[in-house]
Amino acid sequence: DVTNLLGHLYKFVCYVLIYRAMFVVTVRRPYQALARQTTELQQSNETLRTQALALESIAATVIVTDLDGRLRWRNRASHQLSGALPPQEEANLSLFAAPFTPDPVQAEEMRATLQASQVWRGRVHGRDSLGRTVVLERTVTPLRNEDGQLLGHVSVAENITERSQAEQRHKRVLDTAIDGFWIQDENGRILEVNEAYQRLSGYAASELIGMHIGQLEAFEDTPALEQRRQRLLQTGRDQFLSRHRHKDGHTFAVEISITWDPQSRNFYVFTRDRSEREQAQAVQLDLERQLQQSQKVQALGQLTGGIAHDFNNILAAILGYSNLALDRFVPDKQSKLARYLREVITASERARDLIAKMLSFTRTRANNSLEIISPAQVMREAVAMMRPSIPASIELRLRIDEEPNIRMDAGELNQVLVNLLINARDAIDEQGAIDLHLHRVEMSGQLCAISQQRLSGRYLALDVSDNGSGIAPEHLPRLFDPFFTTKDVGKGTGLGLSVVHGILRRSAAHVVVDSDPGRGSRFRLLFPVVEPPAPAADAPQNADLIPAGRGQQIWVVDDEAAVASYLAELLADWGYRARTFGDPAQALAALEAAPAEVDALITDQTMPGLSGLQLAQLARHFKPGLPVLLCTGFRDSIDEAEARRLGLRHIFTKPLVNRELLQALAEELYAPPAA
């Protein structure tokens, strides 16, 4: 019985276990799977809800379309931007048309990109619900399912209106800036450039963007450029001077200010054109050279003028007394004494000419009494005169393209040509050629060798060229200095080009020197062209005879006793009565005491106490209309305007030429009274 009971109990337990197993298999397990699926669905719905809320809540506009671009869904930001529409109108909206894409060209570009299964990115300009202009940074992506099948397109756009306006302001500021600006990457490629640098370089923005900075810099030292780049990467900023190459090939100076931004890894560069500043500096340098030249000439003039005054006084006495001795006491003009005196006179005249050459360098006043001449005629005369003194092995060629007129003294131009021809002859060893060429030229900034100023405009050019030894570059700056010469001792005084210097300055002319050592030199004389003068009426012929004196009283005032005594002797020989004074104050006192005793006054200019002009003014105060003849050893020491104001018609440079002095004195004493 117990065994039976246990067997039935075992059966009951087995039935229960079998029932439980069948319940779990048939009912509980599917229920659990369903519960799990329900949970997963709830979680998925929550995720989708969250994502939908996120899409609805983000500030960017999101639009989902079908393959043709028709609207399927858009988020709240899109509605707020363009405004809500009735459902039937919403269904007709397209991504490739307004209001989403107002520009048809841009819409077609977008459509073509998406049809090629590519992502389209760009800026779209449109209007919001209030009619305001907006700028959207849009990205349109193909929409695909898990199998990769294309279902439509998703457009995500960010409203960048404020940023775009800021960029536009930034661009306007940079484009209206005077200085050039560009952005370049760390490899030196230009990413952005403003209009100022486009104008400066001659390139368009499309040409500059992508160009390497090395293509613009005229600086060829590549290692130095790399060193500068590495230094800039370390310090973050730099400022330096450079030269850039224009599109047409010329270079221009720039001042560069550059900053390195490690975050964007770009260089930000400002550049300023220094061309005008360089030109101003060049002009300033030219003016400084002109000032230095003027100061040098002024200093030489003061030194030479002082020497000339004293030396001419000595020469005046030597020449005067030698002529008096020859005329008075040597009746036999062929005797040894006459020959000796003539040698003294000749040597004195050579000394006088030497002093005149020295003074011609320092004399800078423009000569207003110059004649209008034809330089072609003077050139022919100079060539004819110099041809015998030039060796036959040297060819002397003359070419005249045209024959305009210039304002210059013909004798001085002849002197200039003779000096230049002699220098050209001496520069040629045995065989060669000297060319004289008269023609018109257009000058554009060349430097005058005597005034150190830049020359521009049209001039008449007189070229004196040779194919001789040339001039060394280090000698060119000193070429026109007095006593400077490259010739051997005894072959030149160094005054030839100094004379040319003085003559050209007085004639408002210029000279440009070009020389190539071993190949020759060219001196280009430049003259302003003037119109020919109107034909003048025939002037009456002056009589050759000088009227003799009739016992008139002539007072001579000179602090050099020898000169005063010589003039007294000369006047006495010519029929005048002479009284000499060594002190102008004594002469003035005598004139004040007895003004009727003097008929004419001959006075030196440079004297202690009073100058000749001052004495003339005071003398005419005591005796109005008194004829005054002024003598000087240095003509530039006289104020010519003041002399004309005082009525002085005759000014002589010592040593005096007797005939000229006596002729002027006769004109003053025997001139008919004014009507």
Side-chain angles (χ1 to χ4, degrees), residues 475-514:
H475 293 154
L476 288 174
R478 300 186 57 198
L479 209 56
F480 293 91
D481 289 356
F483 306 110
F484 175 77
T485 180
T486 58
K487 298 178 183 179
D488 295 335
V489 177
K491 292 187 177 181
T493 63
L495 286 174
L497 290 181
S498 301
V499 171
V500 172
H501 176 287
I503 292 173
L504 294 180
R505 283 177 68 93
R506 291 196 304 277
S507 304
H510 303 278
V511 59
V512 176
V513 182
D514 295 312

Side-chain angles (χ1 to χ4, degrees), residues 378-423:
V378 179
M379 291 171 66
R380 295 186 184 98
E381 294 172 358
V383 168
M385 180 179 66
M386 290 297 298
R387 195 178 296 275
S389 61
I390 294 178
S393 59
I394 299 177
E395 186 179 0
L396 184 58
R397 299 182 293 222
L398 176 64
R399 186 171 58 157
I400 298 173
D401 291 351
E402 52 183 316
E403 300 192 24
N405 295 302
I406 63 173
R407 188 180 296 278
M408 192 174 186
D409 181 81
E412 289 188 337
L413 179 58
N414 185 279
Q415 186 179 5
V416 168
L417 291 177
V418 168
N419 280 323
L420 294 179
L421 288 171
I422 291 174
N423 286 347

Side-chain angles (χ1 to χ4, degrees), residues 457-479:
R458 290 187 62 81
Y459 289 88
L460 179 66
L462 198 168
D463 295 347
V464 180
S465 310
D466 66 78
N467 57 359
S469 58
I471 304 168
E474 63 270 17
H475 293 154
L476 288 174
R478 300 186 57 198
L479 209 56

